[in-house]
Amino acid sequence: NPPGHTDLEATERFYTDFGLTVAYRIENEIGFRPALARGYCYVACKASKPVLIISTTEPVITLNIEP
């Protein structure tokens, strides 16, 4: 599952300020891509609680983020 974000508008502002471009947007999900690439490199999904998932070659690590 993609990382969960409680505020997709703020998430979009953050990642576009960081240099990514919106590759696609559906009701509760935004896919981002590097400015000069095709496809996407990050998917942000709407969630009731913030969650960060770090994927490596090892098992996926999920962190619940509390403000």
Side-chain angles (χ1 to χ4, degrees):
N1 282 341
H5 297 272
T6 56
D7 185 342
L8 285 180
E9 290 179 10
T11 301
E12 181 176 349
R13 282 192 304 275
F14 175 82
Y15 284 104
T16 56
D17 286 351
F18 188 67
L20 297 180
T21 301
V22 174
Y24 71 88
R25 182 184 294 109
I26 58 176
E27 183 180 350
N28 289 315
E29 184 175 296
I30 304 170
F32 297 93
R33 64 175 176 80
L36 301 176
R38 293 183 179 180
Y40 58 89
C41 65
Y42 185 80
V43 176
C45 292
K46 182 76 173 162
S48 58
K49 293 177 77 173
V51 176
L52 174 65
I53 298 173
I54 302 170
S55 182
T56 66
T57 56
E58 299 302 317
V60 173
I61 301 165
T62 302
L63 303 172
N64 288 322
I65 305 168
E66 295 295 330

